[in-house]
Amino acid sequence: MTDPLAAVHWPVRTDRLSLRRASETDLDVIWAYRRDPSVTHWLSAAPTTIEQHRASFVERGGLAHMILVELDGRVVGDAMIRIEDEWAQAEVADAARGKQAELGWTVDPAYAGHGYATEAVGALVDLSFGPLGLRRVYALCFSGNEPSWRLMERLGMRREQHLVKESLHRSGEWLDAFGYALLAEEWPR
Ligand SMILES: CC(C)(COP(=O)(O)OP(=O)(O)OC[C@H]1O[C@@H](n2cnc3c(N)ncnc32)[C@H](O)[C@@H]1OP(=O)(O)O)[C@@H](O)C(=O)NCCC(=O)NCCS
């Protein structure tokens, strides 16, 4: 299986941060903030033990798409960039293969409110439309996850979907979700 993220020269530096690919040895550090209920509230899984946490990344293959965000050598969050095919009619499907990425992000609450997640995700958008040669990036969030959709709006992503009571939260409630996206030609950098 090919590894599209191998096309990037890691680590990637931004004004304040360093981004690198995650490995199994990083999972304990990530657990330290990902176990926080204020973090898991909006995430797709809320493992209750470190073993479940490790298994959720190792067995589901999530590590392959995970990027660690570091500030002065300390992990302050993580992000996801998962490259996938775009929808296409059968005759032109080859031209749509591996042309878009789903993005995701989490910041350690101790480091929230400084723009680190925005800076890191902005760098992933740069990579997407630069060395990775993608055409579109997108992300989904619960409509109530305002910090997350504010981040997307800061980056200039467009709200393209408002899905009504489409997502089942572990609280048992069916919640609205937003879908945001951005095309390469819309990225100003
Ligand atoms: C979503 C999440 C990453 C947003 O965290 P955040 O700290 O608000 O995001 P940033 O690190 O980009 O910081 C932005 C905040 O810092 C402020 N800020 C300070 N300095 C800044 C700078 N140099 N650049 C940009 N923003 C800056 C911004 O004004 C903003 O605060 P505001 O929303 O009160 O205006 C965080 O809430 C989180 O991890 N949530 C749990 C996991 C989650 O929901 N993931 C997404 C699932 S869809």
Side-chain angles (χ1 to χ4, degrees):
M1 202 159 94
T2 59
D3 175 14
L5 297 184
V8 175
H9 187 64
W10 305 98
V12 169
R13 311 224 183 257
T14 67
D15 285 349
R16 298 176 293 176
L17 304 169
S18 181
L19 274 58
R20 65 173 173 88
R21 299 190 72 178
S23 69
E24 234 175 294
T25 54
D26 296 311
L27 288 173
D28 291 10
V29 177
I30 298 166
W31 171 245
Y33 59 86
R34 274 197 171 232
R35 63 191 300 196
D36 185 317
S38 73
V39 173
T40 53
H41 184 75
W42 296 120
L43 293 181
S44 49
T48 52
T49 65
I50 192 163
E51 289 76 22
Q52 279 176 15
H53 159 77
R54 275 204 206 97
S56 75
F57 279 99
V58 176
E59 284 159 24
R60 286 207 226 141
L63 270 177
H65 321 292
M66 191 173 209
I67 305 301
L68 284 197
V69 182
E70 293 181 327
L71 172 74
D72 301 330
R74 180 184 295 255
V75 175
V76 296
D78 59 79
M80 177 191 81
I81 173 164
R82 185 166 52 208
I83 297 176
E84 56 187 45
D85 300 342
E86 291 201 79
W87 189 88
Q89 289 185 309
E91 299 74 16
V92 287
D94 278 351
R97 264 189 239 296
K99 296 306 274 182
Q100 76 173 356
E102 181 181 3
L103 302 179
W105 41 81
T106 299
V107 76
D108 179 338
Y111 293 93
H114 296 283
Y116 297 140
T118 305
E119 191 168 316
V121 178
L124 293 186
V125 179
D126 275 340
L127 292 176
S128 297
F129 297 146
L132 293 170
L134 305 185
R135 209 190 64 87
R136 180 176 184 266
V137 294
Y138 76 95
L140 301 162
C141 71
F142 285 111
S143 63
N145 191 354
E146 188 170 337
S148 202
W149 58 254
R150 281 165 64 86
L151 178 158
M152 292 192 260
E153 295 193 350
R154 267 196 297 280
L155 289 172
M157 294 177 74
R158 177 181 41 256
R159 188 182 294 175
E160 295 186 342
Q161 290 172 298
H162 180 168
L163 303 151
V164 178
K165 293 195 176 180
E166 172 269 354
S167 299
L168 181 59
H169 191 266
R170 66 180 69 86
S171 64
E173 252 191 292
W174 286 95
L175 300 181
D176 290 9
F178 290 150
Y180 280 75
L182 189 71
L183 299 171
E185 64 261 35
E186 297 170 321
W187 184 238
R189 303 192 199 179

